[in-house]
Amino acid sequence: MVALSLKISIGNVVKTMQFEPSTMVYDACRIIRERVPEAQMGQPSDFGLFLSDEDPKKGIWLEAGKALDYYMLRNGDTMEYKKKQRPLKIRMLDGTVKTVMVDDSKTVTDMLMTICARIGITNHDEYSLVREMMEEKKEEITGTLKKDKTLLRDEKKMEKLKQKLHTDDELNWLDHGRTLREQGIDDNETLLLRRKFFYSDQNVDSRDPVQLNLLYVQARDDI
């Protein structure tokens, strides 16, 4: 089997390394740490291989349990060996903002387990993340409504406007099966943590002040 020649970028250092195409990503990371001094930092589990793209949304983290040839890599391709952890700003419904370290390679479903655990919420499967509309967009739309009252009579324009705004039923929920990167969420964006599913009132712990406060604020705002 012909060896695969890949460029491994570690910070400002780029090394060309040979791998068997059938090498598992987990083992490739181990080999990199063993052979490249610059890669010997932090905990091995915190690092991974990232295949970047000109479009940031298309860059992907290689899964540890898959072989390199699964990703159809070619000789000369460049991969980044870097930390998977990234800070994520979470806005609570009471207005407070918390910064939580999350694994950038994980899907939103897996991230919610980490986020809720750090915040103190036990029923993570009932919560989700919402991408908020940018403030400048809100002001632009509100200003347009004030300047042109005829929009209220124009059903087509109002329908387009409705598509830009999000009512409670049309919130811009993140896809649980995709990563933040795949959904274009950059490091500077703040996401709203909100309860999405109401399975049972039994999941609400009357002794949990964090959960009770969030539930109260959401119910109040809905009214």
Side-chain angles (χ1 to χ4, degrees), residues 60-83:
I60 59 171
W61 286 97
L62 276 58
E63 294 183 33
K66 291 184 177 178
L68 293 176
D69 56 6
Y70 172 83
Y71 296 96
M72 295 182 288
L73 298 170
R74 295 174 296 180
N75 285 323
D77 280 351
T78 300
M79 291 193 300
E80 296 179 56
Y81 178 82
K82 63 179 185 178
K83 201 167 188 177

Side-chain angles (χ1 to χ4, degrees), residues 9 25 44 47 65 74 104 111 153 159 161 180 185 196 203-204 214 216-217 223:
S9 174
V25 173
F47 290 79
R74 295 174 296 180
D104 191 43
M111 282 187 184
R153 302 170 192 169
E159 187 59 34
L161 188 61
L180 295 181
I185 309 297
K196 185 177 184 181
N203 288 337
V204 179
L214 292 177
Y216 164 74
V217 173
I223 294 171

Side-chain angles (χ1 to χ4, degrees), residues 50-60 78 80 181:
F50 182 74
L51 184 61
S52 57
D53 190 274
E54 292 181 0
D55 183 350
K57 295 181 184 179
K58 294 181 180 179
I60 59 171
T78 300
E80 296 179 56
R181 186 175 296 277

Side-chain angles (χ1 to χ4, degrees), residues 121-132:
I121 298 173
T122 54
N123 54 329
H124 62 84
D125 51 347
E126 295 188 8
Y127 282 81
S128 188
L129 295 171
V130 177
R131 194 171 193 180
E132 298 181 287

Side-chain angles (χ1 to χ4, degrees), residues 181-219:
R181 186 175 296 277
E182 289 172 332
Q183 299 179 67
I185 309 297
D186 61 34
D187 293 345
N188 298 319
E189 191 163 345
T190 301
L191 299 175
L192 176 67
L193 180 67
R194 186 179 177 90
R195 195 171 181 183
K196 185 177 184 181
F197 306 105
F198 293 81
Y199 295 131
S200 171
D201 287 340
Q202 293 179 348
N203 288 337
V204 179
D205 188 346
S206 60
R207 296 165 299 177
D208 186 346
V210 175
Q211 197 175 156
L212 284 176
N213 181 53
L214 292 177
L215 187 58
Y216 164 74
V217 173
Q218 183 165 335

Side-chain angles (χ1 to χ4, degrees), residues 15 19 41 46 50 60-61 67 74 77 79 81 90 95 108 118 133 151 158 171 180 200 209:
K15 300 282 187 179
F19 298 94
M41 52 187 172
D46 291 340
F50 182 74
I60 59 171
W61 286 97
R74 295 174 296 180
D77 280 351
M79 291 193 300
Y81 178 82
I90 302 293
V108 171
R118 299 283 169 79
M133 177 180 265
L151 281 176
M158 283 304 293
L171 291 170
L180 295 181
S200 171

